[in-house]
Amino acid sequence: MDTTVDLDTFSSLVERPDESARRAAEERWRTLDRPRGGLGRLEELGSWLSSVQGCSPVQPLSAPKVLLFAADHGVAALGVSRLPAQGGTAARVRAVLDGTAPVALLARRFGAGVRVVDVAVDADPSDFPDEVVAHRVRRGSGRIDREDALTPEETVKAFRAGMAVADEEADAGTDLVVLGDLGVGSTTVAAVLVGALCGTDAAAVTGRGSGIDDKVWMVKCATIRDSLRRARPVLGDQLALLGATGGADFAAITGFLLQAAVRRLPVVLDGVVSSACALVAQRIAFRAPEWWRAGQSSGEPAQAKAYDRLTLTPLQEQGITMGEGVGALMALPLLQAAADSLAEHKPAPTAAPVPKEQPKLPSAAELLGRV
């Protein structure tokens, strides 16, 4: 198969959100009969939603979706997590699918759909529904402290899978994605990517992840240190970096974030995994972060460094570290409130609405020249 992706295409296709819609939203806020800035962060969020939707008044969020990319990681075998390396990710996927996981319970409360995309879970694909494994790349991944996570072919396949998922969600009418992950050992991989891209040493990006103690933290730090040595020689090639020290979920999430920006689909980032992928994506298309918001701060040092580099301020300080998109999902009511407050406000007669444009946006297949 073709093992190349023209990453430069994203830099030219990812545009900034609609500035005229943002200005119209800010003017709309000024017509409210209330103290200036009285709604605080809701005003900024409402204006951002107007800009990413490309219209004012803003449309209420009617079809939000929690999107979870699932994969296992070879470094989990080193004991870098409190969660079981064998079967841990598969069990979490099943909990989401049967509706008992926290993210499933909260999504029902907030009126959001939930979708799981298995790209590299170490389980038999027959264990999950066909729609969950439709984009599977492989079973598990390599141990990144001593070998590549993926082959070049697998890296491109995972990246393209993420792009395809972005197209599927945009075409289905999803108007906001809450982006999360499911994977044992994933915070270790995320710390490697952030450490490599930010030029920091292992100790500065090693967090507690699943709640590890000092002894396990030292093992995790050493694993990140060894992986950073493998990451630095390929820093100039984002796909090579994702293949060497990332994983199928990281490549897929990066592809998803970029194609979602092309399709003008706003995304709320969750934990350190999505922030690490966002950092890689920013290297490819510098305007892409304007389509994202940071849902929460998990307390992971790598996440804080990534958000600082992305100039994203977390909407909340919940300290939720379990992944699954739970932390980002807690920010959904804020965004819904911001949209509703601005959408339902009656503007002054002189306030001219900004119509929402419907430009022709390229799909993943068109970007890759396969139509």
Side-chain angles (χ1 to χ4, degrees):
M1 65 172 289
D2 182 10
T3 60
T4 63
V5 174
D6 184 6
L7 298 182
D8 292 338
T9 303
F10 288 104
S11 184
S12 60
L13 287 176
V14 174
E15 300 179 352
R16 287 192 166 92
D18 192 325
E19 185 59 29
S20 63
R22 184 195 298 273
R23 289 194 299 268
E26 291 172 350
E27 179 59 33
R28 196 173 173 87
W29 283 119
R30 282 192 286 271
T31 66
L32 281 172
D33 183 20
R34 50 134 181 91
R36 193 163 192 170
L39 288 177
R41 192 71 182 271
L42 293 183
E43 297 189 16
E44 185 273 329
L45 290 175
S47 298
W48 174 71
L49 285 170
S50 266
S51 69
V52 295
Q53 291 178 359
C55 66
S56 181
V58 66
Q59 301 300 305
L61 296 173
S62 60
K65 177 76 66 69
V66 180
L67 183 60
L68 306 174
F69 286 88
D72 274 296
H73 298 277
V75 291
L78 296 172
V80 294
S81 173
R82 290 181 64 249
L83 300 173
Q86 291 295 323
T89 301
R92 296 178 73 188
V93 169
R94 294 187 192 98
V96 174
L97 296 177
D98 66 24
T100 60
V103 68
L105 299 171
L106 290 169
R108 286 199 296 272
R109 166 66 67 179
F110 300 147
V114 180
R115 179 183 180 185
V116 178
V117 180
D118 169 9
V119 284
V121 177
D122 188 10
D124 193 295
S126 63
D127 290 350
F128 306 130
D130 291 344
E131 63 269 18
V132 173
V133 299
H135 294 288
R136 179 179 276 211
V137 173
R138 57 177 284 170
R139 183 168 175 166
S141 66
R143 227 183 82 179
I144 61 171
D145 62 321
R146 65 182 188 185
E147 63 182 345
D148 288 350
L150 309 169
T151 66
E153 293 82 4
E154 290 166 343
T155 305
V156 170
K157 184 177 180 181
F159 188 91
R160 288 176 167 175
M163 293 174 63
V165 170
D167 283 334
E168 291 165 5
E169 293 303 323
D171 293 342
T174 300
D175 53 16
L176 180 78
V177 169
V178 175
L179 183 61
D181 63 278
L182 294 163
V184 179
S186 59
T187 64
T188 299
V189 177
V192 173
L193 291 174
V194 174
L197 292 169
C198 293
T200 59
D201 60 24
V205 291
T206 304
R208 298 287 174 170
S210 56
I212 58 178
D213 58 23
D214 290 346
K215 182 178 179 180
V216 177
W217 183 90
M218 293 176 67
V219 173
K220 183 175 181 178
C221 188
T223 303
I224 293 170
R225 177 202 63 205
D226 294 343
S227 302
L228 279 171
R229 291 173 182 157
R230 301 190 64 257
R232 290 183 179 120
V234 291
L235 271 178
D237 184 335
Q238 284 76 35
L239 284 178
L241 177 65
L242 290 167
T245 57
D249 50 346
F250 285 80
I253 292 172
T254 303
F256 171 83
L257 284 169
L258 289 166
Q259 183 63 9
V262 172
R263 295 297 303 270
R264 305 185 180 186
L265 178 60
V267 177
V268 182
L269 305 175
D270 181 40
V272 66
V273 171
S274 58
S275 64
C277 296
L279 202 56
V280 179
Q282 182 198 41
R283 287 288 188 98
I284 297 169
F286 70 95
R287 287 184 289 265
E290 297 185 39
W291 294 93
W292 315 326
R293 280 297 178 266
Q296 64 117 19
S297 171
S298 66
E300 283 285 310
Q303 184 193 45
K305 289 185 179 299
Y307 282 161
D308 182 64
R309 186 64 61 90
L310 291 162
T311 64
L312 292 176
T313 302
L315 299 180
Q316 298 186 102
E317 301 285 336
Q318 298 287 358
I320 298 172
T321 60
M322 68 176 300
E324 294 187 11
V326 173
L329 185 55
M330 293 300 296
L332 179 57
L334 286 176
L335 289 155
Q336 291 170 326
D340 291 347
S341 298
L342 193 54
E344 295 178 8
H345 167 59
K346 300 298 185 183
T350 56
V354 177
K356 184 175 182 179
E357 298 181 358
Q358 298 292 339
K360 176 65 171 66
L361 302 174
S363 68
E366 290 169 329
L367 280 176
L368 298 169
R370 292 185 283 120
V371 295

